[in-house]
Amino acid sequence: MRNHTRTHRLSQRAAPFTTTTKATSQAERARRLRYNFQPVLTCLVGSFADVPQDLLKEIQELECLFTIDTAKLKQITNRFQAELDKGLSVEGGSIPMNPTWVMSFPTGYETGTYLALDMGGTNLRVCQITLTEQKSEFDIIQSKYRMPEELKTGEADELWEYIADCLMQFLETHHGDTSKLEKLPLGFTFSYPATQNYVDAGILQRWTKGFDIAGVEGHNVVPMFEAALAARGVPIKLAALINDTTGTLIASAYTDTKMKIGCIFGTGCNAAYMEDCGSIPKLAHLNLPPDTPMAINCEWGAFDNEHQVLPRTPYDITIDKDSPRPGQQAFEKMIAGLYLGEIFRLVMVDLHDNHETHIFANQDISKLRKAYSLDSSFLSAIEEDPYENLSETFELFQNKLDITPSLPELELIRRTAELIGTRAARLSACGVAAISRKKSYNTCHVGADGSVFNKYPNFKARGALALREILDWPEKNDPKEDDPIEILAAEDGSGVGAALIAALTLQRVKNGNMHGILHPENYQ
Ligand code: BGC
């Protein structure tokens, strides 16, 4: 079951964002400059010298469909900001804006040993984190467990039992005989929309990211999790249920006090930020001190579920229609890693079947027809192909899909990947801009994590450019100058962040702040 165990002392500083591109030819650099950083111009046909007219026409149509100009970005951002407010109101809106009961930033002086469980989309990760005496430093031991695909759409009991087994195995490996162990406090990163009336409870609003397990939506997940632990005698007490974005925010703020927003651009996408209780009308009945901080898990993936402003293509509509939760996560379905490869695949199949050009004519495209067979790393690989003749993309299509694309088709493939990747980055910037404007943050750092942010080529540069356009920043005098709002690689939210949130919660209970605590006995 276990894939590997590593013991690390991780650096206290957020790692710089890097992309792993191969040596780039002059021509390629020119190509990238022409296309990647020119999204302000709409409906442009690139100067594809060797591409026949009919394919050029298809490329132009795709450019029109997928390009989002500055004016549209601003329109989306305006609506986004209004929707953030609506989510905090008593009536509510599409964006849930879930209060998390994380009620302070860390100081950097938190200490103690905590467990963290991360139920991500792909893996299950268990960590033991020791926050050391030294400011902003920690030690971490972690094990990753594969999250079997069938569990994602299986029975709830099986999911909780599997998780409890992984935790038990982790404790046995690192602590030996668990029967003698005092219960350890755990931060559980459960990265799905959950209504949290308490920090140690969470009612699942709906599954996202392709999960579809019956009997969990509408229920508090903590008792289900705890029952599985109790059945196996796993010596753990839950200190906090956490969203990955809140963990990212807190972990990043541990090492960088300029961090104000935590984002995930991975299998799913979302953000968290710190609000004042006095600005959360839906919590007014609790009479919390108005200037007390409260981290809000926005669940912004649900932005524009009513389809008022996002320029959805027919491909986005198909993705939604065929997903386990149609009508949900409109924004996420245009941005997140789970969907980028699928959008691309749908474009390719459509151009083969329905358009006059019939790309990959007379070839067997049965492999390409398989839904969700291409993930976002497939698009990354296309965008990273350093060769002018796109030979790596050619090999990718041959090896993975048994398709032999012509050179003009390769140009179309490359451009499609760029368009999808660029659109995702530019839309992401709308969310960051909306929170920044709402909070009047003219300068700050945004901590971001997730496979798309960390691995997708140019995602960061494209997002930064879009942020500049939306917020009307003047041109830089020096390219090395920092942007007023910078999206940086975050600290490990679901490990260190979860441990910090457990520590902060235990500390505030000790100090007598019992707001949003369901089981005070777990904090003794
Ligand atoms: C979930 C969020 C999560 C995000 C990133 C979304 O699908 O609804 O809770 O933060 O994915 O993991």
Side-chain angles (χ1 to χ4, degrees), residues 98 119-121 190-194 206-210 242-246 263-271 297 299-302 329 332 336 339 449:
N98 294 326
M119 187 187 140
F190 180 74
S191 303
Y192 306 88
R206 73 199 72 82
W207 287 117
T208 58
K209 297 182 276 204
I242 295 155
N243 187 262
D244 51 0
T245 54
T246 319
C263 291
I264 299 288
F265 302 113
T267 309
C269 85
N270 187 17
N297 162 22
E299 288 296 339
W300 77 17
Q329 304 295 95
E332 176 163 273
Y339 305 103
D449 206 347

Side-chain angles (χ1 to χ4, degrees), residues 87-92 95-99 280-286:
L88 293 175
S89 71
V90 176
E91 306 76 46
I95 304 184
M97 302 296 276
N98 294 326
I280 312 175
K282 64 184 177 185
L283 291 188
H285 62 287
L286 298 175

Side-chain angles (χ1 to χ4, degrees), residues 148-155 158 210-214 324:
E149 210 44 48
E150 55 282 10
L151 274 191
K152 296 181 187 171
T153 50
E155 296 296 317
E158 286 171 11
F211 274 68
D212 191 10
I213 303 170

